[in-house]
Amino acid sequence: MGPQMGMERGGIEWRISETAVDYREAVEEMEHRVAAIRAGTAGELVWLLEHPPLYTAGTSARDEDRLDPGCRPVHRTGRGGRYTYHGPGQRIAYVMLDLRRRGQDVRCYVHQLEEWIIRALASFGVCGERRDGRVGIWVPRLDGREDKIAAIGVRVRQWVTYHGVALNIDPELDHYRGIVPCGIAEHGVTSLARLGVAATMAEVDMALRSTFPDVFE
């Protein structure tokens, strides 16, 4: 799973994996942590990591949205949403919070995840926006189209959250061609690098950590 660092901020543990984490291992680790949070034997956690190249299929995934069945491994997952891509150059933030002490409002929680990414992007001068009916964070283009820069897919088990967000820093955007990302064909995907922002993973992590408390605490 690679070396990790534990950090505490606002009573929440922050963990960074410095090497790519296998997707199935990550899901297993999240499920163990969710159970521990639910039992009161572990605290809340934000886990920052990358995955090797793969596609994940959420609970609403449709076969017709997988355009190239043989190009990359596909993992079925219990998070909401359709197909998405994960790979190097993308910062994954798995967020395990106890909604029993945060209002027990899943819709509000998803709104907070969106706000978190919007504020982190603003740290780099990028205007990320919400769109009704389209989960995730979008960047408008001059031609009127919009590109997705961050995907959001969550699961909640007995009021404890897991899965989370995937923010494109500098992934191989051509890898998205094997799927219809999140089932939306009329818009594209982008990254900080594609937008001309030369941000490092460490700089993005710093932005995520600095903007988190104002949104969630």
Side-chain angles (χ1 to χ4, degrees):
M1 187 175 291
Q4 299 171 335
M5 296 186 296
M7 293 164 283
E8 295 290 337
R9 185 188 181 104
I12 297 174
E13 179 186 354
W14 284 76
R15 180 188 303 174
I16 298 176
S17 290
E18 298 176 348
T19 58
V21 179
D22 176 80
Y23 185 77
R24 294 188 190 279
E25 289 183 17
V27 172
E28 182 177 347
E29 173 68 18
M30 282 192 287
E31 289 177 343
H32 285 314
R33 184 63 174 242
V34 166
I37 293 171
R38 186 71 180 82
T41 58
E44 297 174 312
L45 170 67
V46 178
W47 185 11
L48 305 179
L49 66 146
E50 294 175 275
H51 285 308
L54 61 102
Y55 299 127
T56 63
T59 54
S60 301
R62 305 179 304 183
D63 289 341
E64 57 265 35
D65 289 338
R66 189 177 174 192
L67 304 179
D68 189 351
C71 68
R72 265 166 206 93
V74 175
H75 294 272
R76 297 279 170 179
T77 177
R79 63 156 176 81
R82 295 183 178 176
Y83 281 101
T84 193
Y85 167 75
H86 294 315
Q90 182 186 73
R91 180 46 102 205
I92 308 291
Y94 287 141
V95 184
M96 286 149 270
L97 300 181
D98 189 348
L99 295 187
R100 292 172 299 178
R101 46 189 289 258
R102 295 175 179 273
Q104 293 187 329
D105 188 332
V106 176
R107 189 182 298 271
C108 176
Y109 170 65
V110 173
H111 189 275
Q112 288 174 315
L113 288 176
E114 293 171 337
E115 183 65 24
W116 181 34
I117 299 304
I118 288 170
R119 294 190 185 200
L121 289 170
S123 302
F124 301 98
V126 173
C127 181
E129 300 178 355
R130 298 179 179 88
R131 288 295 178 265
D132 290 340
R134 285 191 263 134
V135 178
I137 301 302
W138 301 81
V139 177
R141 298 194 328 198
L142 294 178
D143 62 5
R145 295 184 65 192
E146 296 166 335
D147 291 332
K148 193 171 195 174
I149 194 167
I152 297 174
V154 304
R155 189 171 184 181
V156 180
R157 178 175 293 172
Q158 296 181 310
W159 294 113
V160 179
T161 70
Y162 59 124
H163 295 279
V165 304
L167 174 60
N168 289 341
I169 301 174
D170 190 14
E172 179 52 70
L173 295 178
D174 283 346
H175 289 180
Y176 280 93
R177 293 180 180 177
I179 57 171
V180 178
C182 302
I184 300 170
E186 62 270 26
H187 297 286
V189 291
T190 192
S191 65
L192 287 175
R194 175 67 61 87
L195 296 172
V197 178
T200 66
M201 195 70 73
E203 289 169 338
V204 170
D205 290 348
M206 186 178 298
L208 290 171
R209 292 185 64 200
S210 65
T211 54
F212 189 91
D214 286 343
V215 177
F216 289 96
E217 299 172 20

